[in-house]
Amino acid sequence: MLAHRLTEAERTPTTPTEMWLAAAILLVSVATIWFTRSQVTEQVYVSGLGATGMPTADVFNTALLGIGVGALLGAPSLHGIRSRLRWLSWSASGTLVATALAFVGASQVTCTYGCPIPFTPGSTLQDLVHIVFAATGFTGAAVVMVQLATSSLPRLTRLVAWGAAGATGLVAAAGASLSLLRFRTDLGATLEFVAMTVGVVWLAGVLVRQALIPAERARATVLPVSVLS
């Protein structure tokens, strides 16, 4: 029997069920965050929904925790996937674990009301800790995207990763710049939500793709053909 041979990037210690569950948690969590955003009238950045004193804090922080848990559950599915760039050649699963833990941290250490920028009047150590967790999470997600984009995965998967990385990076940078400049913060807030959504939906898609690999392998299996003499 001639069977489809899996590459190292395709061998994962996670079951398809776990990957589907992780993807579902991520999608439900990001949908919940958009729901909480619809419950407030003022324009707030992503972290602002979970700030101390916000009526959306409990639901938002639970959803943010869900993103961390979903990413952590799905991280083993990226076992063996490595960038072909020497300076990013460690396993993408390790990067995703660090990213997941950062989001878990951000969900537990929230910013204070209004989410003041660290080292500005009214900001506290709590705000600094939160922004470090959040920035680490966003940066880690971008690194995972680039690692997959420069890996040996199929070309379409790599192109989608490049697209997600570019869109997330540009949109998030634009939103952050508007926040720092205190100009069109309404647009900046929306851009940050969009960047977050692109990243989470992309990761959910990657996990679904990984979950489908065993079925693809089964279909690719070639059964021997008996030749009658």
Side-chain angles (χ1 to χ4, degrees):
M1 182 170 66
L2 180 62
H4 170 64
R5 179 172 296 177
L6 292 178
T7 64
E8 182 184 4
E10 293 175 317
R11 299 189 184 97
T12 71
T14 311
T15 66
T17 299
E18 291 171 328
M19 287 181 258
W20 280 107
L21 177 60
I25 291 173
L26 289 170
L27 294 177
V28 169
S29 297
V30 76
T32 302
I33 288 176
W34 276 99
F35 170 76
T36 59
R37 184 175 187 266
S38 71
Q39 302 305 297
V40 297
T41 55
E42 71 250 51
Q43 290 291 338
V44 295
Y45 279 75
V46 175
S47 292
L49 290 174
T52 304
M54 284 292 289
T56 54
D58 289 342
V59 175
F60 171 83
N61 289 320
T62 299
L64 186 58
L65 177 62
I67 290 177
V69 170
L72 196 60
L73 182 61
S77 71
L78 303 187
H79 173 75
I81 298 178
R82 299 174 184 273
S83 170
R84 287 175 291 186
L85 301 176
R86 180 177 300 179
W87 46 278
L88 287 176
S89 60
W90 63 86
S91 177
S93 63
T95 310
L96 188 54
V97 167
T99 300
L101 293 176
F103 282 122
V104 170
S107 74
Q108 301 306 299
V109 183
T110 66
C111 57
T112 59
Y113 190 80
C115 286
I117 299 172
F119 308 113
T120 61
S123 67
T124 66
L125 177 61
Q126 180 179 332
D127 295 303
L128 176 61
V129 173
H130 173 80
I131 198 64
V132 168
F133 276 131
T136 300
F138 268 102
T139 302
V143 172
V144 173
M145 292 174 187
V146 175
Q147 284 183 300
L148 267 62
T150 56
S151 70
S152 58
L153 290 174
R155 184 170 182 269
L156 179 59
T157 303
R158 289 184 281 112
L159 287 176
V160 172
W162 273 126
T168 302
L170 290 174
V171 174
S177 298
L178 291 174
S179 173
L180 292 173
L181 295 173
R182 299 189 181 281
F183 174 75
R184 287 300 306 275
T185 54
D186 57 332
L187 176 59
T190 299
L191 290 177
E192 191 178 61
F193 277 96
V194 170
M196 178 268 301
T197 303
V198 170
V200 174
V201 172
W202 169 81
L203 178 57
V206 169
L207 296 180
V208 168
R209 184 253 175 204
Q210 293 296 92
L212 292 174
I213 286 177
E216 293 173 355
R217 178 181 58 172
R219 286 195 298 270
T221 299
V222 180
L223 298 177
V225 178
S226 300
V227 180
L228 298 178
S229 56

